[in-house]
Amino acid sequence: MEFRDLKKQYQVLKSDIDAAVQGCCTNAQFIGGAPVKELEKALAEYVGVKHCITCANGTDALSLAAMAWGIGEGDAVFVPDFTYFASGEIVSFEGATPIFVDVCKDTYNIDPEKLEKAIIKAKNEGKYKLKAVVAVDLFGLPADFDAIKAICKKYDLLLLEDGAQGFGGRYKGKTACSFGDISTTSFFPAKPLGCYGDGGAVFTDNDEWADLIRSYAVHGKGSSKYDNVRVGVNSRLDTIQAALLSVKFDAFKNYELEDINKAAAKYTELFTAAGAQQKGLVLPTVKDGFYSSWAQYTVQLPEGADRDKIQSEMKAQGIPTMIYYIKPMHCQGAFAGTDSAVADCDVTDNICGSVLSLPLDPYKSDEDIKLVVDSLIKLI
Ligand SMILES: *Cc1c(COP(=O)(O)O)cnc(C)c1O
């Protein structure tokens, strides 16, 4: 069994993907052009924002947002302690300081109450200028944006939605990547909407930031690529990636998002029927008003379970599993000795030792899922 079956997906979409790639080769169009423009237009429309700017990857998308806001030395940005490294890395890369905030035990997303506490604490200490909050839509589930937006407004902070795993998710009728002042996503192959290499996108309604991001992404261009008005980076989405993403985006909208939700619901149904919760297994929860794009189906193993042993026994049965994430952000060596290493994050400390992500994609059959459930149930 594949953890996320991209081979199966390719077999289903092969003729259209091959034609899209062939088209770029035939036209010898590899940078920019109509496929990129059309994809940006379609993505912006789907998300419901004015601007979509594609770029080289999801990490660059976050960095470009930080550049547009002029985040740098002396600034602090609040980041969840339980996330992929890039969410906090980009803050340090710009010379600013990430302050890590604990997450909710049930949603894995930044805890609004603890966020406010961290803001008040940092404000009282007065060491940094408080600039922004990064809210991650972890495992596909949008963060608690009503509460987070209210806090950002109260303390005059910018909101950056890291939707690298959240593309396609929804909250109260709004689509993921529309909640931040700037929002970003990643097209890394294993993300909900993935390409065949690296890719990313930035979303915003703000004209001025959109212009700045388009400039920063192409060497700080002014009126042309050879008129450079600021120092930027080279961060573009390849034409081939854009062309095949358009094919994958149609499949995503037409059935993949719905099918992955069905597959996740099947996991929950079978685990519940097998009495998994009584055995202490914690299943993912999607609260009222939320819709997940299921980048991962992540469970918490019962207290005392031997995760390494469970993983290796499942692997022996041909079932791959992953640990997202094994280490709290504030414990990463990259932040050792900095203010970012000091964080009060009990929930993250705890769940890092018990989470386990199970194989999931829109092409998994009920039989595949039953196999995984039966296997795990016997091991706990
Ligand atoms: C994958 C990911 C990123 C980075 O995306 P890349 O395209 O790999 O650079 C950022 N944040 C989160 C939460 C991610 O999962």
Side-chain angles (χ1 to χ4, degrees):
M1 189 183 300
E2 297 278 328
F3 187 72
R4 192 171 185 100
D5 201 343
L6 298 175
K7 290 174 192 159
K8 177 85 187 281
Q9 185 196 43
Y10 177 61
Q11 288 314 315
V12 173
L13 303 174
K14 186 175 185 328
S15 60
D16 287 346
I17 286 179
D18 289 357
V21 173
Q22 270 295 311
C24 296
C25 298
T26 305
N27 297 330
Q29 191 167 48
F30 303 111
I31 301 288
V36 177
K37 284 206 184 75
E38 281 160 20
L39 178 71
E40 289 182 342
K41 188 164 171 278
L43 292 172
E45 227 170 77
Y46 177 82
V47 167
V49 298
K50 206 165 160 192
H51 305 282
C52 167
I53 303 124
T54 53
C55 62
N57 56 67
T59 307
D60 277 5
L62 290 165
S63 286
L64 287 164
M67 287 180 199
W69 289 341
I71 287 173
E73 212 182 317
D75 295 336
V77 176
F78 298 88
V79 177
D81 197 39
F82 189 64
T83 180
Y84 181 59
F85 186 61
S87 312
E89 175 188 31
I90 62 104
V91 176
S92 298
F93 196 78
E94 297 303 317
T97 300
I99 295 177
F100 295 113
V101 178
D102 211 356
V103 295
C104 298
K105 203 177 169 177
D106 49 356
T107 63
Y108 304 113
N109 284 327
I110 198 164
D111 183 327
E113 270 176 40
K114 291 179 179 169
L115 171 63
E116 185 160 17
K117 276 192 193 143
I119 293 169
I120 293 168
K121 184 165 174 268
K123 224 176 136 156
N124 288 339
E125 285 171 3
K127 187 166 174 188
Y128 298 105
K129 181 165 177 4
L130 310 185
K131 263 294 192 36
V133 172
V134 176
V136 179
D137 303 331
L138 206 75
F139 303 150
L141 184 71
D144 186 355
F145 283 112
D146 277 355
I148 295 165
K149 277 186 171 185
I151 292 167
C152 287
K153 199 166 168 207
K154 186 169 168 190
Y155 296 96
D156 197 21
L157 297 168
L158 292 160
L159 176 59
L160 175 53
E161 178 189 359
D162 179 352
Q165 300 181 17
F167 192 80
R170 291 197 284 272
Y171 175 48
K172 292 189 179 169
K174 281 191 74 181
T175 304
C177 297
S178 73
F179 296 106
D181 294 299
I182 298 179
S183 305
T184 63
T185 198
S186 162
F187 303 124
F188 181 83
K191 306 282 169 153
L193 177 62
C195 63
Y196 286 175
D198 279 309
V202 187
F203 300 89
T204 186
D205 278 322
N206 185 295
D207 298 339
E208 190 188 327
W209 294 335
D211 283 348
L212 271 172
I213 288 164
R214 284 203 186 278
S215 168
Y216 276 120
V218 185
H219 302 291
K221 71 171 176 170
S223 55
S224 85
K225 193 174 140 183
Y226 303 104
D227 169 37
N228 308 93
V229 296
R230 56 182 63 84
V231 172
V233 294
N234 173 17
S235 186
R236 294 176 292 221
L237 181 72
D238 291 344
T239 313
I240 285 177
Q241 301 295 352
L244 70 87
L245 265 172
S246 287
V247 174
K248 297 231 290 176
F249 185 35
D250 281 342
F252 182 83
K253 285 185 290 187
N254 291 340
Y255 63 88
E256 281 190 348
L257 185 57
E258 213 180 305
D259 287 356
I260 203 162
N261 267 274
K262 283 186 195 152
K266 195 60 167 180
Y267 264 124
T268 300
E269 179 198 317
L270 294 181
F271 272 130
T272 305
Q277 288 102 322
Q278 285 76 14
K279 289 183 142 201
L281 193 77
V282 180
L283 304 179
T285 33
V286 179
K287 290 183 182 167
D288 270 0
F290 288 85
Y291 184 77
S292 178
S293 61
W294 292 103
Q296 303 297 338
Y297 190 95
T298 301
V299 299
Q300 291 166 47
L301 297 176
E303 240 186 278
D306 185 343
R307 184 168 59 183
D308 289 345
K309 186 158 169 262
I310 289 172
Q311 274 199 295
S312 65
E313 298 216 357
M314 289 179 81
K315 190 177 172 197
Q317 296 165 30
I319 301 170
T321 56
M322 302 288 276
I323 299 171
Y324 300 124
Y325 293 94
I326 200 150
K327 221 185 221 191
M329 290 288 277
H330 77 274
C331 297
Q332 291 287 2
F335 301 116
T338 71
D339 288 352
S340 304
V342 185
D344 184 11
C345 299
D346 294 352
V347 171
T348 304
D349 288 338
N350 243 303
I351 58 180
C352 281
S354 68
V355 283
L356 188 69
S357 299
L358 305 178
L360 180 69
D361 60 63
Y363 301 90
K364 290 273 180 283
S365 67
D366 289 356
E367 291 70 38
D368 293 332
I369 291 164
K370 187 166 186 311
L371 209 71
V372 180
V373 170
D374 289 349
S375 166
L376 181 55
I377 281 288
K378 283 198 196 110
L379 293 167
I380 58 172

